[in-house]
Amino acid sequence: PKEREREMREPALQDIVYIDKVWDCLKISGLVCGYQGFKGLYTRDSLKLKWLCCYYVLCFILEVFSLCFYIAKACQVLADLKPEIEQAAQHSHRRPLTCAEVQQMLLVKGFAQCAMYYFFAQAAWSLASHFSSNLPMAWGDPFSDMEAPLLAGYGVSEHRPQQQQQQQQQQQQRERQQTKFQPFTGRPQRLD
């Protein structure tokens, strides 16, 4: 009879497994979307960045639905797994979590994940909008200084090393002008 009751309650556990499989498929597609987003950043292709934004929006929506489901089913899953949880608690000498504690942890985790997906989607959309507008920014291109370390070895423009060399020379000249310190040359000097 106890096994039959557990089998009746197991659909909640099976639903959690199905949600995890959907997340796994979405994460695999995230590898493709992330790579395409990187290529879009490199080539300044707004369409690829918009696809990356859509991926994050989809993650946000799935996170909201799975969060609602997990919070609703948390107590039932804890009741289903009570013998295993108590056995694990005896070995670890810790008190098992209550339903309210588990729901609170899930809520905090879910809000953090949703915020992350929102900000990534917003950043990808902003970049896509900037690249598709082809309008110069008011203070120049804010990505020009950032693209060299991000895209090192991927065909960064040829004038960058010359610019850096000129900047280094100018900085060295400023340092020479500011300092009056004469380094020791190795020649003996008289102390009169």
Side-chain angles (χ1 to χ4, degrees):
K2 289 185 179 179
E3 289 179 16
R4 184 140 177 97
E5 286 179 27
R6 185 170 182 156
E7 288 175 7
M8 297 294 285
R9 292 182 186 177
E10 279 191 6
L13 294 173
Q14 290 174 351
D15 291 341
I16 291 174
V17 171
Y18 292 140
I19 290 173
D20 282 341
K21 288 182 180 181
V22 170
W23 269 113
D24 291 340
C25 292
L26 189 63
K27 288 176 184 176
I28 289 171
S29 68
L31 292 172
V32 175
C33 290
Y35 177 71
Q36 291 299 318
F38 175 74
K39 283 177 58 178
L41 182 64
Y42 169 63
T43 60
R44 296 180 183 257
D45 184 4
S46 64
L47 182 63
K48 290 181 180 182
L49 288 170
K50 287 179 182 176
W51 278 108
L52 182 63
C53 177
C54 291
Y55 165 75
Y56 284 122
V57 169
L58 188 61
C59 286
F60 179 87
I61 292 169
L62 185 60
E63 181 68 32
V64 169
F65 284 132
S66 57
L67 175 65
C68 292
F69 179 78
Y70 290 157
I71 289 175
K73 299 292 182 176
C75 295
Q76 183 180 351
V77 171
L78 282 177
D80 290 347
L81 298 176
K82 188 173 183 176
E84 290 89 351
I85 292 172
E86 287 177 354
Q87 185 180 10
Q90 288 175 355
H91 292 298
S92 67
H93 305 292
R94 295 179 121 177
R95 173 183 66 81
L97 296 173
T98 65
C99 179
E101 291 171 334
V102 170
Q103 286 176 334
Q104 183 181 13
M105 287 174 34
L106 288 171
L107 189 65
V108 169
K109 177 193 164 281
F111 278 148
Q113 290 278 26
C114 287
M116 178 190 69
Y117 291 134
Y118 170 77
F119 289 124
F120 282 174
Q122 205 273 333
W125 188 262
S126 296
L127 279 171
S129 299
H130 172 70
F131 290 157
S132 65
S133 70
N134 290 330
L135 294 174
M137 299 292 277
W139 297 285
D141 191 2
F143 305 110
S144 61
D145 294 336
M146 294 189 312
E147 74 183 2
L150 289 175
L151 304 177
Y154 290 99
V156 179
S157 61
E158 298 294 327
H159 69 283
R160 289 255 182 252
Q162 294 171 357
Q163 262 184 340
Q164 290 176 352
Q165 188 177 18
Q166 288 175 354
Q167 289 174 352
Q168 288 175 352
Q169 289 174 354
Q170 290 172 354
Q171 184 177 1
Q172 288 174 355
Q173 287 175 355
R174 278 188 244 123
E175 288 175 359
R176 283 187 212 133
Q177 291 173 356
Q178 290 176 355
T179 60
K180 295 183 180 184
F181 174 74
Q182 301 266 333
F184 180 66
T185 59
R187 291 188 335 199
Q189 296 184 6
R190 293 180 50 164
L191 300 174
D192 291 335

